[in-house]
Amino acid sequence: MARITAVALALSAVAGVSAHAAHTDAPESAWMRKYPDSGDLSFSGIVTFAHLPHSRCLDEPQQTFDIAVLGMPFDTSVSYRPGARFGPNAIRQGSRRHATNRAYSIPWNFNPFLAGAKVLDCGDVPISPYDNALAMDQIETAYSSLLAREVSSKFMQEHGDTMSLALDGKEHPKIVTLGGDHTVVLPILRSLHKVYGEIAVLHFDAHLDTWNGNLYKGAWTYQSKVTHGSFFWKASTEGLISNTQHLLDSRRYPHAVVRV
């Protein structure tokens, strides 16, 4: 009798688990039956750039992509007004009106998100707000790590346009960076230089950002000479940028178009 009771209890437990599973699945099934493929509206959902899929790419070395959107929340090299650390989040908020199914360009006559490349929001680089030397290394390391990934799609392997420029003859992913104060360009140029050699830069800004860091008042240390206004000077002294294909167009000074 005890054995029969034990079997009955076991069967009852299994039935209870099955009933519980059916109960928990019911709401999800009901939603999918009534509202399949709903998706997010422009004002809803987790905030990523243009509602793109998101991955913590730096923590997921197996993740591949063709184009990465990468935030650089850094602003501790500014000479006056900080706050650009919130730039990546603000840009993503402002991009919510766009999405892969709402990005058709009439002038260009195509949807860039559906051109064949895998575009991924890779989140932000966790940059130190306390140590600028450490921050520069974190940015360079992060950018170099993603730049070294294999491209994801056959489309990019066949239609990539930078293979001939790379020192290793390979197609590398493209990275769209969301800043961050302008100093983040320096470690990015250091990363790009390792892959492509001297970089040609087309720079639109209110300022030229070519100040000699040695002339800054209060810049007593090596790191303090690297700021949002001197990073191009520093990049030039390190041989990162081309001296024949570097164009600076200052918006505040419309006649100050400088070819370095």
Side-chain angles (χ1 to χ4, degrees), residues 4-63:
I4 295 175
T5 302
V7 171
L9 289 173
L11 292 174
S12 176
V14 171
V17 170
S18 299
H20 178 70
H23 175 72
T24 55
D25 287 344
E28 180 181 357
S29 300
W31 173 267
M32 293 301 295
R33 285 196 304 271
K34 296 180 70 174
Y35 308 108
D37 302 322
S38 296
D40 290 321
L41 301 174
S42 59
F43 51 82
S44 67
I46 302 299
V47 179
T48 65
F49 185 83
H51 294 273
L52 287 171
H54 168 261
S55 173
R56 291 182 58 85
C57 299
L58 293 173
D59 298 329
E60 300 172 5
Q62 76 284 354
Q63 183 64 257

Side-chain angles (χ1 to χ4, degrees), residues 2-260:
R3 183 176 301 172
I4 295 175
T5 302
V7 171
L9 289 173
L11 292 174
S12 176
V14 171
V17 170
S18 299
H20 178 70
H23 175 72
T24 55
D25 287 344
E28 180 181 357
S29 300
W31 173 267
M32 293 301 295
R33 285 196 304 271
K34 296 180 70 174
Y35 308 108
D37 302 322
S38 296
D40 290 321
L41 301 174
S42 59
F43 51 82
S44 67
I46 302 299
V47 179
T48 65
F49 185 83
H51 294 273
L52 287 171
H54 168 261
S55 173
R56 291 182 58 85
C57 299
L58 293 173
D59 298 329
E60 300 172 5
Q62 76 284 354
Q63 183 64 257
T64 59
F65 46 82
D66 299 315
I67 302 173
V69 177
L70 184 65
M72 299 287 191
F74 173 81
D75 63 6
T76 52
S77 283
V78 296
S79 57
Y80 183 62
R81 182 182 292 117
R85 68 183 66 184
F86 302 106
N89 179 65
I91 294 171
R92 289 187 175 99
Q93 289 282 356
S95 72
R96 298 180 75 170
R97 183 66 182 85
H98 299 282
T100 55
N101 62 342
R102 294 193 300 271
Y104 181 80
S105 171
I106 294 177
W108 294 348
N109 195 32
F110 83 111
N111 183 334
F113 292 116
L114 301 180
K118 179 181 177 181
V119 189
L120 189 65
D121 190 327
C122 284
D124 293 343
V125 180
I127 304 170
S128 171
Y130 313 113
D131 185 331
N132 283 359
L134 172 61
M136 293 296 102
D137 183 68
Q138 289 174 317
I139 295 172
E140 182 179 350
T141 302
Y143 202 95
S144 295
S145 296
L146 298 188
L147 198 60
R149 301 278 174 93
E150 297 288 336
V151 292
S152 178
S153 69
K154 184 178 180 181
F155 172 86
M156 189 61 73
Q157 293 170 0
E158 295 178 350
H159 300 282
D161 55 0
T162 58
M163 185 183 303
S164 61
L165 301 176
L167 300 178
D168 59 5
K170 297 180 180 179
E171 189 67 30
H172 291 261
K174 311 297 189 297
I175 303 175
V176 179
T177 305
L178 313 179
D181 84 48
H182 224 160
T183 318
V184 303
V185 173
L186 178 60
I188 289 174
L189 287 173
R190 288 169 174 164
S191 296
L192 291 171
H193 184 267
K194 297 173 187 175
V195 175
Y196 299 105
E198 289 186 347
I199 304 300
V201 178
L202 179 60
H203 175 223
F204 295 92
D205 195 357
H207 311 90
L208 294 178
D209 297 335
T210 56
W211 288 100
N212 186 328
N214 293 317
L215 303 180
Y216 272 110
K217 291 183 178 180
W220 307 117
T221 65
Y222 169 83
Q223 189 58 49
S224 64
K225 297 176 183 179
V226 179
T227 73
H228 67 149
S230 66
F231 65 91
F232 272 138
W233 162 79
K234 183 60 177 172
S236 179
T237 62
E238 293 183 10
L240 304 178
I241 55 180
S242 170
N243 287 326
T244 59
Q245 296 176 305
H246 183 65
L247 184 65
L248 307 179
D249 188 355
S250 174
R251 299 288 85 191
R252 182 167 293 179
Y253 309 100
H255 300 294
V257 179
V258 180
R259 186 181 298 275
V260 180

